[in-house]
Amino acid sequence: MIYPDTFEQKVGFDKVRELTLARCLCELGEQRVRDAGFNTNPDIVFEWIEQTHEMKTICQMEDGFPTDGYIDVTPALRKLNVEGQWLDENELQQLRRSLDTIKQLLAFVKRVSDKYPAIAKLATGINYYPYVIERIDSILDRYGRIKDNASAKLAEIRASIRAKEASVNKLVQGIMRSAREQGVVEADTQPTVREGRVVIPVAAANKRKLKGIVHDESATGKTVFIEPVEVVELNNEIRELEYEERREIVRILIELADSIRPYLPELLTAYDFMGEIDFIRAKALLAMEFDGVKPILNSNSTVIYLRQARHPILQLSLKREGKRIVPLDIELNLNDRILLISGPNAGGKSVCLKTVGLLQYMLQCGFLPCVLENSEMGIFSKIFIDIGDEQSLENDLSTYSSHLINMKQMLRHADGQSLVLIDEFGAGTEPTAGGAIAEAILQELCNKGTFGVITTHYSNLKHFAANTPGIVNGAMLFDNERIEPLFKLEIGKPGSSFAFEIARKIGLPEKVLDVASQKVGSDYITFEKHLREISRDKRYWEKKRESIRLANKRAEEAEEKLQKELEELEKKRKEIIATAKKEAQELLANVNKQIENTIRTIKETNADKERTREARKALENLKIEIENPETANALIERKMELIKQRQERKARKNQQKETITSKPVKEDEVRAIEPGDKVKVEGSDMVGEVISISDKSASVAIGGMITVVRVNKLKRLSTGEYREAAKQKPTLNTGFDVYKRRLNFKSDIDVRGYRAEEALEAVQDLIDDALMLGFNRVRILHGKGNGILKQVIRDFLKATPGVKNFSDEHVEFGGAGITVVDLDV
C-alpha cells in the first residue's frame, strides 16, 4: 500500500521514471518503465535487484552486448491473429531486424550465463526460429522491397511493366522531339510523372497544340501537364499491370503471414524478453550515472541501514550547478524504529525524509538505490508520506486538516511492516495543541511498531523521543561560526532551530532580537545553549571513539598478520628440521666412513683390539641415538635453543660494550699455535687438535673429520677447556653447524676491484669453506682487464692444498673473466 496517490511526485520518483524512459531503446522497454510499480514480495524484489545489478556489471565489464535493432513489432504481430491479415514490407523489414537482435541477445546471454544467472534465467524458454527470418529473406531484398522472384507470376508482371514503360518512354521521346521542333515546348523541357502517368509540361498558351489529356497544372497556371494521346492506352495497360502487381504482392504477404502464424505465441514471448532486457538495461544505465548499487538485502526484518545515501534528482540538480551533494547516513532498526529529525530551517530535514522514501520505493520497484554497498535494506508492505501543503478549496480543507486526514490514514493502516514519512510534524495549528496531538500520534505509531522518519521543530517531541524506547532523535548539523547549515545528519541527539542566529544573519535589528529573547525567556536560551554544548561534546567524543576504533582495527590487523607469520615460521621450522634430519644422517654416514678408515689404520698398526671394539660400539650407539626421531628432534630443538641463547647473550654483551673495542690479536699470539695444540674454531662450538700448519692455514682434526681452517680463526685451549668442550658431543654439534653452513654457502665469489692481498684472502676462505663442507667446485669472478689479478689468483691456486685443477669458464658464461676451480673432495 502506498499513500497518498501522489507519493511518487512527492519523493521525486516521477523524475526517476522520466530519466529511465530516456534510456530505453524501444517502446517495449518504455512501457515497462511506465508500468514499474511498488512490490512487497521479497523474492520478486530481490530478483529484480539482482537482474539490474548483473546488467550494470555487463554494461561496465562485458563487450558484445547488442544495442541496435530494438523495434516493437508486437502490434503488427497481434494483427496476424486475424485470418487474412498480413504485414506490409516495412513491417516485415522491422520484424527481420528485431528478430536478428533477439538472436544476438540469446547468444550473448548463453555466452555469459555462468557469470550472470539472473539474466540467464530471463532467457529460459525463449526460442529463436530461423525459419521466420528465412521466409522473410526469401521475399524481401536488403532494401525492404518485394523481390521479383518472390513468385513466378510477380516476375512475369514486372517484366511486362518494364517492357511497356520502355515503349512509353520511346513514344514520349519522339513526341518531345516533334514538339520542340514545332516550338510547342521549350528546348530543355523533360517529361515528368503525374499520378503515375508520363506527361509533358507545356505552356498554357500552347496546350491546344499538343493532343492529349491534361492531368495537372502548375500553381501559377502558366504550365499544364499533358499526357499525349499516343501513350494513353499504354499508360492504362501499365496501370492495370501495377494493380495486378499489388494484388500478387498482397497474396504473397498473406501466404507469408499464414506460414508464420503458428509461431506467434513464441514470437510475442521473445519480444517480451527483448522488452524486459531493454527495461533492465535502462535501470542499469541510470544506476551507473548515479552510482546506484545493490545493497545488503534483508528479507527477515524491515530495517533501513543507509550509508552515504543520496537523492538522485537532487544530486543531478546540484551537479548542473557545479556543486556536490552531501550524503546521509541513516539507520532504522528494531530498537530505534522512528527517527525524529530536528534542526534549522533549510537545513536538509525534508531532503533527508524524501531520500529515505525515494530510495526505499526505488528498491521495491527494482531500481538500484544510491547508497554504498554495505548498506542494508528490508522490505516494507506499506509506505505513507505527509509532506507539503494539501489544502483544498473544493473539499474545504485547511493545511492542518489535510495533515490530520493523512494522520488518520496512517493510524488506521500502519503496522510493524509500515514506513511513515512525516514532514513538519504538528505544524499548521496552535503550537501547544498541535504539539500535544503530534506527541499522542507519535506514541501510537511507536506502539504499533511502525518505522518512520519524522521532522519537527517542537521541543516537546524532542523530549518525548529522548525518553521513549523505539524513538531516536536526529539533528541536522549547523555551523555556528558561519551561521549556515551543513546538511549533515547526526543521529542520537536533538537539533536546534537556531532561530535567533538565522534571524541575526538575515539582518533583523538587534533591538528586536533582544525583545524576542526576553519574551521567550532565559530557560529557552539556556536550553539551546546547552544543546549546542552537548552537540559539540558529542562530536568530540565521536571522533575519539572513531580514532580508538581505527587503532583497535590496526591492532587486530597486526595481530592477524603476526599470527600468519608465526604459522608460516612454524611450517618452515618443520621443513628445516626434516631437512636437518636428512642432512645429519648423510653427514653421519660420511663420518662413519672416516672413522672406519681410522679403525682400519689402527688395526693395520696393531692397535689394541679392545679399544677398537669400544670405539666401534660408541659409534654405533651414537648412530642409533641420532637416527631415533624423538632424540634427533630433541637434540635439534636443544641446539636451536642454545643458538638463540648465545645470540641473546651476544646482543647483551654488545650493549654493554658501547665504548669498548676488542683487543686485536697480536701476530706472535697467532703464530704460537703449533701441531698438537687443542684449539677451538671461533664463531662455532667446534673443538679439535691441530695436525699441521702451513703459512696461514691449519689442518684440524675435529671429531672423526679433518678440515682446513685459517689460523686467525683458531683459538688455543687449555687441556681442561678442551675436555669441557668435548663433553658437548662435538660430533653432533659439528654436523649441525656444517649443515647450517652448507645451507648458507655460496660457491661463487666476486673479487673485482680487490687488491691482490684482499683477493687472495677471500679466495683462501672460499676454498677452505668448500673443502670443509664437501663442495667440489667453486667459481671466482675476477674479470679480464689486464689479466694481472687473474694471474695472481692462479699462481696462488697452484700452491694451495686441495685444489685439483682450474680453468676458464665456458665462453657463454663469462670465459676468461671467471676461473672455475675443481677441488679434491
Side-chain angles (χ1 to χ4, degrees):
M1 176 181 178
I2 298 296
Y3 179 86
D5 295 337
T6 57
F7 179 89
E8 291 189 3
Q9 290 76 26
K10 290 180 178 294
V11 298
F13 186 77
D14 56 333
K15 300 293 191 304
V16 172
R17 200 186 294 271
E18 291 176 5
L19 293 172
T20 311
L21 279 170
R23 287 157 177 78
C24 290
L25 297 173
C26 69
E27 178 60 30
L28 289 169
E30 293 174 0
Q31 188 58 46
R32 280 165 174 75
V33 175
R34 297 187 191 97
D35 295 340
F38 184 77
N39 195 294
T40 59
N41 187 327
D43 294 335
I44 294 176
V45 172
F46 294 172
E47 185 176 16
W48 287 349
I49 294 297
E50 186 62 29
Q51 290 169 355
T52 309
H53 171 67
E54 289 185 0
M55 182 60 72
K56 178 186 173 186
T57 306
I58 288 173
C59 293
Q60 292 174 328
M61 306 295 293
E62 301 291 342
D63 295 327
F65 183 82
T67 56
D68 294 327
Y70 286 73
I71 305 171
D72 180 15
V73 296
T74 54
L77 289 176
R78 291 191 177 93
K79 183 174 64 174
L80 295 183
N81 285 318
V82 180
E83 291 286 342
Q85 292 292 326
W86 70 90
L87 303 180
D88 62 27
E89 292 93 325
N90 183 55
E91 290 171 336
L92 281 177
Q93 188 179 29
Q94 291 180 339
L95 177 62
R96 171 69 175 80
R97 286 185 59 200
S98 54
L99 283 177
D100 191 56
T101 299
I102 292 173
K103 174 184 176 182
Q104 295 177 35
L105 281 173
L106 292 173
F108 177 84
V109 171
K110 182 178 180 181
R111 179 167 62 85
V112 300
S113 59
D114 293 339
K115 293 189 287 185
Y116 308 105
I119 295 296
K121 184 178 178 182
L122 292 172
T124 303
I126 305 300
N127 296 315
Y128 167 72
Y129 294 97
Y131 169 78
V132 177
I133 289 183
E134 291 172 1
R135 287 289 290 120
I136 295 174
D137 289 342
S138 68
I139 67 170
L140 280 187
D141 62 17
R142 60 178 180 173
Y143 301 107
R145 296 190 295 261
I146 301 295
K147 295 179 179 179
D148 291 351
N149 61 357
S151 73
K153 185 176 181 180
L154 181 62
E156 181 182 350
I157 292 170
R158 287 183 172 175
S160 298
I161 290 174
R162 285 191 289 270
K164 292 187 180 297
E165 286 177 344
S167 299
V168 168
N169 288 333
K170 185 176 181 181
L171 282 172
V172 170
Q173 290 298 331
I175 295 170
M176 285 290 295
R177 284 194 300 270
S178 176
R180 291 191 189 101
E181 293 172 357
Q182 298 173 8
V184 175
V185 297
E186 299 292 336
D188 58 349
T189 301
Q190 296 295 329
T192 185
V193 178
R194 286 291 187 274
E195 298 179 359
R197 291 177 176 269
V198 179
V199 295
I200 299 174
V202 180
N206 297 329
K207 67 180 179 179
R208 301 293 181 184
K209 297 179 181 180
L210 185 64
K211 293 181 180 181
I213 300 172
V214 177
H215 283 278
D216 199 2
E217 67 177 18
S218 65
T220 61
K222 293 181 180 181
T223 304
V224 294
F225 299 92
I226 300 174
E227 179 185 12
V229 68
E230 293 88 345
V231 299
V232 170
E233 187 60 31
L234 282 173
N235 277 336
N236 288 339
E237 292 176 4
I238 291 173
R239 180 59 60 89
E240 289 176 1
L241 286 171
E242 288 175 347
Y243 290 149
E244 188 175 357
E245 177 191 26
R246 187 59 195 166
R247 287 193 296 272
E248 179 61 18
I249 289 174
V250 170
R251 186 195 67 77
I252 293 171
L253 294 177
I254 291 175
E255 182 181 332
L256 174 63
D258 292 340
S259 67
I260 66 175
R261 187 171 288 110
Y263 300 97
L264 277 181
E266 289 83 358
L267 288 174
L268 292 173
T269 302
Y271 278 94
D272 286 340
F273 165 71
M274 184 176 73
E276 192 69 22
I277 290 292
D278 187 26
F279 171 48
I280 296 172
R281 176 180 173 275
K283 293 191 294 182
L285 293 177
L286 187 74
M288 289 169 61
E289 181 172 349
F290 293 107
D291 296 328
V293 301
K294 172 190 171 184
I296 301 170
L297 302 173
N298 193 323
S299 60
N300 298 323
S301 62
T302 47
V303 296
I304 293 179
Y305 187 50
L306 306 181
R307 288 291 173 266
Q308 302 290 296
R310 305 171 305 282
H311 194 291
I313 306 305
L314 177 62
Q315 181 176 340
L316 180 62
S317 177
L318 293 175
K319 185 177 180 180
R320 290 171 182 164
E321 299 174 7
K323 302 178 182 178
R324 296 185 63 182
I325 192 170
V326 179
L328 301 169
D329 292 343
I330 303 169
E331 180 176 4
L332 301 179
N333 53 49
L334 296 176
N335 296 323
D336 297 323
R337 298 184 304 275
I338 298 177
L339 174 62
L340 186 74
I341 303 176
S342 51
N345 289 313
K349 299 190 300 298
S350 299
V351 171
C352 180
L353 181 142
K354 289 182 178 181
T355 300
V356 174
L358 176 60
L359 297 185
Q360 186 64 41
Y361 192 77
M362 286 176 64
L363 178 81
Q364 295 190 230
C365 289
F367 290 74
L368 298 182
C370 303
V371 294
L372 292 184
E373 291 181 346
N374 62 344
S375 300
E376 184 175 356
M377 301 180 73
I379 301 298
F380 291 91
S381 60
K382 304 168 188 176
I383 303 181
F384 304 88
I385 191 169
D386 177 54
I387 187 173
D389 190 354
E390 297 290 343
Q391 61 179 327
S392 170
L393 295 177
E394 295 179 0
N395 299 324
D396 194 24
L397 287 177
S398 67
T399 300
Y400 188 64
S401 298
S402 67
H403 287 318
L404 290 179
I405 290 175
N406 292 337
M407 296 303 105
K408 181 181 72 172
Q409 293 294 329
M410 293 180 187
L411 292 174
R412 178 179 297 175
H413 299 288
D415 55 25
Q417 299 293 317
S418 301
L419 175 65
V420 299
L421 307 168
I422 306 173
D423 192 37
E424 300 294 347
F425 196 28
T429 189
E430 192 271 321
T432 303
I437 294 174
E439 186 174 330
I441 294 172
L442 184 58
Q443 177 67 69
E444 183 62 21
L445 291 173
C446 184
N447 294 340
K448 287 176 174 285
T450 303
F451 291 77
V453 178
I454 299 173
T455 70
T456 188
H457 286 286
Y458 285 4
S459 297
N460 68 305
L461 295 180
K462 300 176 190 178
H463 288 292
F464 179 74
N467 297 302
T468 304
I471 307 176
V472 61
N473 273 304
M476 301 306 297
L477 300 182
F478 191 82
D479 191 329
N480 294 331
E481 296 179 358
R482 293 186 293 179
I483 314 299
E484 61 181 26
L486 299 176
F487 304 109
K488 293 182 180 180
L489 174 64
E490 184 175 5
I491 297 177
K493 72 175 188 64
S496 170
S497 297
F498 294 95
F500 284 94
E501 289 81 354
I502 295 174
R504 185 171 286 107
K505 180 180 180 181
I506 290 175
L508 283 183
E510 196 66 32
K511 180 179 179 181
V512 174
L513 295 178
D514 291 340
V515 173
S517 299
Q518 294 174 4
K519 289 183 177 294
V520 78
S522 60
D523 290 343
Y524 177 82
I525 301 298
T526 303
F527 172 77
E528 290 289 320
K529 179 181 178 182
H530 289 167
L531 191 62
R532 289 193 294 271
E533 292 175 352
I534 292 171
S535 174
R536 180 195 61 207
D537 292 343
K538 184 173 183 180
R539 284 197 296 271
Y540 172 79
W541 290 113
E542 285 289 340
K543 291 180 180 178
K544 282 289 187 182
R545 186 176 66 179
E546 181 66 15
S547 64
I548 293 173
R549 186 188 68 81
L550 292 175
N552 289 338
K553 183 179 180 181
R554 287 193 293 268
E556 291 173 359
E557 292 174 351
E559 182 180 1
E560 183 179 357
K561 181 180 179 181
L562 180 60
Q563 182 63 30
K564 290 181 179 179
E565 291 177 352
L566 289 174
E567 292 175 357
E568 185 67 23
L569 287 174
E570 180 63 21
K571 181 180 177 182
K572 290 181 178 179
R573 172 183 166 277
K574 291 179 180 179
E575 293 175 355
I576 291 172
I577 290 175
T579 307
K581 292 178 183 177
K582 183 177 178 180
E583 293 287 341
Q585 291 173 356
E586 293 176 356
L587 181 62
L588 179 62
N590 293 332
V591 173
N592 192 18
K593 289 180 181 179
Q594 294 180 9
I595 294 180
E596 288 290 345
N597 292 334
T598 304
I599 292 174
R600 185 170 60 252
T601 302
I602 295 173
K603 287 182 177 180
E604 291 174 355
T605 56
N606 297 323
D608 189 350
K609 294 183 178 180
E610 184 62 28
R611 293 185 60 186
T612 302
R613 188 164 48 251
E614 290 177 358
R616 181 186 295 275
K617 184 177 179 180
L619 174 65
E620 291 296 331
N621 292 336
L622 178 61
K623 181 177 180 181
I624 294 172
E625 185 178 4
I626 292 178
E627 289 179 345
N628 185 342
E630 295 182 359
T631 304
N633 282 342
L635 291 172
I636 293 172
E637 291 282 355
R638 185 164 63 253
K639 182 61 180 176
M640 292 177 69
E641 181 64 27
L642 290 173
I643 293 172
K644 182 179 178 182
Q645 292 176 2
R646 185 168 67 250
Q647 291 175 342
E648 291 177 353
R649 287 195 301 270
K650 185 176 180 180
R652 288 194 298 268
K653 185 177 180 181
N654 290 337
Q655 291 177 357
Q656 294 172 359
K657 296 182 178 180
E658 294 179 352
T659 58
I660 301 176
T661 58
S662 58
K663 183 179 178 181
V665 180
K666 296 182 180 179
E667 188 72 17
D668 57 346
E669 291 179 0
V670 175
R671 297 181 184 277
I673 295 177
E674 299 176 352
D677 287 345
K678 305 295 190 294
V679 293
K680 177 181 180 181
V681 180
E682 292 185 354
S684 71
D685 293 334
M686 293 186 295
V687 295
E689 182 177 347
V690 177
I691 297 176
S692 63
I693 295 178
S694 64
D695 196 13
K696 297 183 179 180
S697 300
S699 297
V700 183
I702 301 176
M705 181 175 62
I706 299 175
T707 184
V708 178
V709 185
R710 292 189 61 81
V711 175
N712 57 6
K713 291 185 178 180
L714 297 177
K715 179 182 179 182
R716 189 172 58 182
L717 299 177
S718 64
T719 304
E721 290 173 336
Y722 175 76
R723 290 175 180 175
E724 186 67 25
K727 293 180 180 179
Q728 302 297 325
K729 296 186 178 180
T731 302
L732 179 62
N733 291 341
T734 300
F736 188 77
D737 288 337
V738 171
Y739 162 70
K740 285 175 54 182
R741 296 186 66 178
R742 283 179 65 87
L743 289 179
N744 297 323
F745 179 72
K746 294 182 181 179
S747 60
D748 294 358
I749 187 172
D750 186 354
V751 295
R752 290 177 297 178
Y754 284 27
R755 295 195 302 271
E757 184 179 352
E758 294 173 342
L760 294 179
E761 184 176 355
V763 169
Q764 179 68 67
D765 289 343
L766 176 67
I767 293 175
D768 290 347
D769 290 343
L771 288 170
M772 183 176 67
L773 299 176
F775 287 88
N776 60 4
R777 173 170 288 190
V778 295
R779 299 167 75 251
I780 304 170
L781 173 58
H782 43 65
K784 298 178 180 178
N786 297 323
I788 298 175
L789 183 60
K790 171 183 175 181
Q791 188 61 43
V792 170
I793 291 174
R794 294 195 172 187
D795 290 342
F796 174 76
L797 292 174
K798 291 178 183 178
T800 301
V803 176
K804 184 186 298 183
N805 56 63
F806 52 84
S807 62
D808 290 345
E809 177 61 280
H810 193 277
V811 67
E812 294 181 357
F813 304 106
I818 299 176
T819 296
V820 179
V821 183
D822 293 323
L823 303 176
D824 188 10
V825 178

